[in-house]
Amino acid sequence: MRAIQVSEHGGPEVLQYVEVADPSAGPGQLLVETQGVGVNYIDIYFRTGLYPQATPYIPGSEGTGIVVAIGSDVTEFAIGDRVAWASAPGSYAELVAVDEAVAVKVPGDVDPTVAAAALLQGMTAHYLTESVFSPEPGDPVLIHAGAGGVGLLLTQMAVAKGARVITTVSTDAKEKLSREAGATDVLHYGDDLAARVRELTDGIGVAAVYDGVGASTFEASLASLRVRGTLALFGAASGAVPPFDPQRLNPAGSLWLTRPSLGAYTRDRTEFLWRATDVFDWIAAGTLNFRIGATYPLADAAEAQRDLGARKTTGSIVLLP
């Protein structure tokens, strides 16, 4: 099969389109012919070495496709089923071995391109708004990168709960997308970001900040919170946050700081299916608008990651085998 392989850590140029041996379905696994592969910041973290990963390896963890073989002990799926997943290593490939425990059937009315990228970002937005900090009606919240894949979904989910959503973006075009998703106020990044957030909240600050940007927004995120506010730092698109003294949370108003991950919020099959089913049901019903900002051939994975890292894209990115 054809796949993307990384033989050394580095820039997008280390993503090589090569011929490799076909995987097989082991016990409890599905062999899936991919129809689409999601591209996410975590793929960049592994490629650069920010997250440890032995080389060579095939990147990617998210996608959708058709089951072409099943291993022993598989009970929920059959050959021909259309499935999606968010945590199957080696997904930048034409064939992927997916553990049954992390796969979910895709509703027939969900487009394969959407299904390819819906789970990781959709379940991330789900755990942030359902479990990390679930806003009450009227709660003001701040969402960074409001026109990104997670940002657009977070905005819609928070608005559905009755929250007043403030977002940050980098361009006028992204502001338009963020407002269409339901943001009440959209701010462009700048040194006075926290001051502008406080102006919008009568000096009180927001109940929560959902921050997937990291280094460049962290200080503004802290300064934007009200007393006992929550900062959910769920990503590092601009780089890792430097070492931080937790004592700073005390005089700032007894703030809450958490660094959550999808794995910790999908710890068993029941929790995974709750989040995955909600995401797909909302998409199928049309209550959650899932934006595909760009598609690329699998062979052009380097270009896709380059554009994502430079924040040139909006919504989600999908590779097409």
Side-chain angles (χ1 to χ4, degrees), residues 26-292:
Q29 287 189 320
L30 318 171
L31 183 63
V32 182
E33 183 177 2
T34 54
Q35 295 178 307
V37 179
V39 179
N40 298 284
Y41 275 103
I42 193 170
D43 304 340
I44 296 176
Y45 303 158
F46 281 118
R47 188 202 75 217
T48 60
L50 179 64
Y51 289 0
Q53 174 67 59
T55 57
Y57 72 96
I58 297 172
S61 60
E62 179 183 40
T64 191
I66 305 296
V67 177
V68 295
I70 57 174
S72 61
D73 303 324
V74 170
T75 60
E76 294 185 39
F77 301 92
I79 293 173
D81 284 345
R82 190 158 69 103
V83 298
W85 60 91
S87 54
S91 290
Y92 281 27
E94 293 174 335
L95 292 169
V96 183
V98 181
D99 289 343
E100 179 182 35
V102 300
V104 62
K105 292 181 181 178
V106 179
D109 44 4
V110 175
D111 183 89
T113 307
V114 170
L119 279 189
L120 195 151
Q121 295 180 347
M123 291 195 299
T124 295
H126 189 282
Y127 83 69
L128 287 169
T129 54
E130 292 290 337
S131 303
V132 173
F133 182 85
S134 183
E136 298 290 333
D139 274 347
V141 299
L142 174 63
I143 298 172
H144 288 302
V150 175
L152 290 171
L153 299 175
L154 268 172
T155 298
Q156 294 175 74
M157 292 183 192
V159 168
K161 287 179 169 292
R164 174 193 176 187
V165 176
I166 304 168
T167 64
T168 56
V169 299
S170 58
T171 67
D172 291 342
K174 291 182 177 182
E175 176 178 346
K176 182 175 183 294
L177 289 174
S178 185
R179 290 190 184 278
E180 289 173 350
T184 303
D185 301 281
V186 181
L187 304 175
H188 289 230
Y189 297 108
D191 293 338
D192 60 343
L193 179 59
R196 287 181 287 158
V197 170
R198 290 199 172 272
E199 286 176 7
L200 291 171
T201 56
D202 298 323
I204 296 173
V206 293
V209 180
Y210 303 103
D211 189 343
V213 176
S216 67
T217 53
F218 181 74
E219 292 297 333
S221 295
L222 283 175
S224 297
L225 286 167
R226 71 185 185 190
V227 172
R228 301 205 307 259
T230 297
L231 170 51
L233 181 69
F234 67 93
S238 68
V241 173
F244 174 81
D245 181 0
Q247 171 58 25
R248 291 182 57 194
L249 303 175
N250 177 4
S254 294
L255 304 180
W256 295 86
L257 170 64
T258 180
R259 180 59 176 89
S261 68
L262 180 59
Y265 283 90
T266 52
R267 293 192 65 191
D268 56 36
R269 182 71 175 163
T270 299
E271 188 172 35
F272 167 77
L273 286 178
W274 167 42
R275 302 194 193 282
T277 301
D278 273 0
V279 169
F280 277 138
D281 283 352
W282 295 341
I283 292 172
T287 57
L288 184 65
N289 179 34
F290 193 87
R291 176 182 172 80
I292 299 297

